[in-house]
Amino acid sequence: MKPTEGNLNARELRFGIVVSKFNEFVTSRLEAAALETLKKQGAPETHLHVVRVPGAFEIPLVAKQLAQSKQFDAVICLGAVIRGETPHFDFISAEMSRGIAQASLDTGIPVIFGVLTTNTAEEALARAGTTEINRGAEAACTAIEMATLMKELHEIDRKPTGFRHG
């Protein structure tokens, strides 16, 4: 039995990328690495659409809108929520995470979680460094793999199984 899985060929795929402007010193690095990775894997620049939102809390709404448009094979969500002195971090992180997951489930389009939730700015920068250690690049690879996997699964749905109903 051969397992069904995605691959890293982005040539025929379209991506929406939602980037939080808050903590831009981190999110700009995540965005750059994601775009570089998508292009390296064959995605034409014309198949990449970046939307910037004020903060991480706004990511899920825009991600769901992009996914619902059916113009994209996957949506990548990039942001950085850094713990402060109040419980604000916990509320933002929880609702943003829930919203991103729900956007994917509601639309059937892979909506990828590439948002850092760290205790310090140093931790965030360490996860947004070079593309070898950059969660934006990882999110892009996950998006490609999930988009190609979903295409494979749709093909399986279209193939006759040989079983007769009724």
Side-chain angles (χ1 to χ4, degrees):
M1 175 179 79
K2 181 183 178 234
T4 303
E5 58 187 7
N7 61 63
L8 291 176
N9 179 353
R11 281 191 281 281
E12 303 294 322
L13 302 174
R14 300 179 67 83
F15 298 93
I17 304 154
V18 185
V19 183
S20 169
K21 293 189 290 185
F22 198 77
N23 291 321
E24 190 171 22
F25 69 100
V26 175
T27 63
S28 62
R29 293 175 178 209
L30 297 172
E31 178 185 344
L35 291 170
E36 178 184 337
T37 300
L38 292 168
K39 291 175 194 173
K40 225 181 246 185
Q41 298 302 324
E45 193 162 338
T46 56
H47 289 193
L48 309 175
H49 183 76
V50 176
V51 178
R52 294 193 180 92
V53 296
F57 192 79
E58 292 76 30
I59 291 173
L61 176 63
V62 174
K64 185 174 180 180
Q65 182 76 27
L66 292 177
Q68 281 178 330
S69 76
K70 303 295 184 194
Q71 298 296 310
F72 303 100
D73 296 294
V75 175
I76 302 167
C77 301
L78 302 173
V81 183
I82 301 170
R83 188 179 299 280
E85 297 175 3
T86 68
H88 183 75
F89 170 91
D90 299 310
F91 299 124
I92 296 298
S93 297
E95 291 306 311
M96 181 250 331
S97 300
R98 184 194 58 74
I100 289 171
Q102 195 62 53
S104 191
L105 293 172
D106 287 350
T107 63
I109 300 294
V111 179
I112 308 305
F113 188 90
V115 180
L116 302 177
T117 53
T118 63
N119 291 312
T120 66
E122 292 77 24
E123 288 178 0
L125 286 170
R127 288 158 179 78
T130 63
T131 51
E132 292 83 39
I133 315 167
N134 188 298
R135 300 300 184 236
E138 288 178 14
C141 287
T142 300
I144 298 166
E145 192 168 346
M146 284 300 296
T148 57
L149 173 61
M150 295 305 288
K151 285 184 179 294
E152 276 293 312
L153 292 174
H154 289 303
E155 286 302 313
I156 288 172
D157 284 347
R158 291 188 195 123
K159 291 179 182 174
T161 61
F163 294 107
R164 300 186 89 170
H165 297 284

